[in-house]
Amino acid sequence: MRVVIVGASNLAVATAESLTQRGHEVVIVERDRARIDELGERLDAAFVAGDGIRPSILKETAPDECEALLALTNGDQDNILAALVGRSVGFQRVLPKVSDPELENVAIEVGLSELLVPERTMAQAIADRVEGGAGTGAEQMIPAGFRLFTFIATMEDAEREVLKDLPRGVKPLAIFRGDGFVLPSETDQVHAGDRVLLILPADRYDDMLAKRAKAKRRG
């Protein structure tokens, strides 16, 4: 899998390290050349020097060959703009980090459905750990060799009953709809706008990414 990361924040670097350790190819877009020089000595990643909100710069990363663009700068506005520009130049998935609740609503209104909200994610993980005790976080509960995968269902997904067409070994865990959720089976039908949570063998993760990328291109 090839992923582009806009920004070289601490979160961006940690994410790049995690992705490369899993065998994925990472390209980091960063405007600070000194930061690139610093990271180039310790990160197994490619770098593009430039502003990640400029279409000409993002085009240098070959969007048609990438599975996703992550906008992980320290500024919410830059992240939203980078995601919008990324979508316009051909990235199939764009995931901006957004911390400000007001800007989160703006991002949703302009069609950015896959938002990264680190503070909320960490707060939920801490609350879960406190309530359940040590070792009960979701990351400890998933057996080795399995991954979680989530996507937003499209109208086409609803029409063709997407859960009946899951790759071998991929199982639905939950469908989040509005303020609630349902526990699905492969025979349940999703609605457009549902967030679908799947569990799958780790070696099928890239297959699932490719399948969702094809579904978005058809849509």
Side-chain angles (χ1 to χ4, degrees):
M1 182 170 67
R2 191 167 191 262
V3 177
V4 172
I5 299 177
V6 175
S9 63
N10 290 338
L11 176 61
V13 171
T15 301
E17 289 176 334
S18 180
L19 287 169
T20 55
Q21 287 169 4
R22 297 184 184 193
H24 301 302
E25 182 181 356
V26 174
V27 180
I28 296 177
V29 179
E30 170 59 37
R31 67 185 72 171
D32 185 343
R33 291 182 179 273
R35 179 67 165 160
I36 291 176
D37 292 340
E38 172 196 348
L39 295 175
E41 298 179 357
R42 62 185 180 95
L43 269 185
D44 183 18
F47 294 88
V48 172
D51 193 335
I53 64 175
R54 306 286 299 182
S56 58
I57 296 297
L58 290 186
K59 286 179 181 178
E60 291 184 25
T61 66
D64 57 331
E65 300 176 8
C66 300
E67 276 69 32
L69 178 142
L70 309 179
L72 301 179
T73 76
N74 289 321
D76 287 358
Q77 295 179 6
D78 283 347
N79 291 335
I80 292 172
L81 186 52
L84 291 173
V85 173
R87 190 169 62 185
S88 74
V89 300
F91 283 94
Q92 294 300 313
R93 296 182 70 203
V94 292
L95 297 86
K97 178 180 78 71
V98 182
S99 299
D100 187 321
E102 289 185 333
L103 292 179
E104 182 181 350
N105 291 333
V106 171
I108 293 171
E109 288 174 1
V110 297
L112 298 173
S113 58
E114 293 191 89
L115 302 183
L116 305 173
V117 188
E119 292 84 357
R120 182 182 304 156
T121 301
M122 180 58 72
Q124 290 172 346
I126 292 172
D128 289 344
R129 181 65 58 84
V130 170
E131 288 184 344
T136 60
E139 69 279 5
Q140 281 83 22
M141 295 177 66
I142 300 172
F146 287 86
R147 300 277 300 279
L148 295 178
F149 187 98
T150 184
F151 67 92
I152 304 296
T154 64
M155 184 64 71
E156 182 183 356
D157 290 329
E159 292 173 350
R160 65 185 180 89
E161 300 182 332
V162 67
L163 295 185
K164 293 182 179 179
D165 190 34
L166 294 174
R168 180 176 55 84
V170 179
K171 301 295 182 182
L173 288 181
I175 299 174
F176 298 94
R177 181 177 299 149
D179 294 328
F181 72 96
V182 295
L183 300 176
S185 70
E186 288 89 341
T187 61
D188 286 317
Q189 188 168 358
V190 302
H191 298 172
D194 286 352
R195 180 176 290 276
V196 182
L197 177 64
L198 309 173
I199 188 167
L200 67 166
D203 61 1
R204 304 309 301 272
Y205 192 85
D206 287 352
D207 293 341
M208 196 65 205
L209 278 177
K211 189 176 184 67
R212 292 310 306 170
K214 289 180 181 178
K216 287 190 176 184
R217 284 195 290 270
R218 287 197 303 266

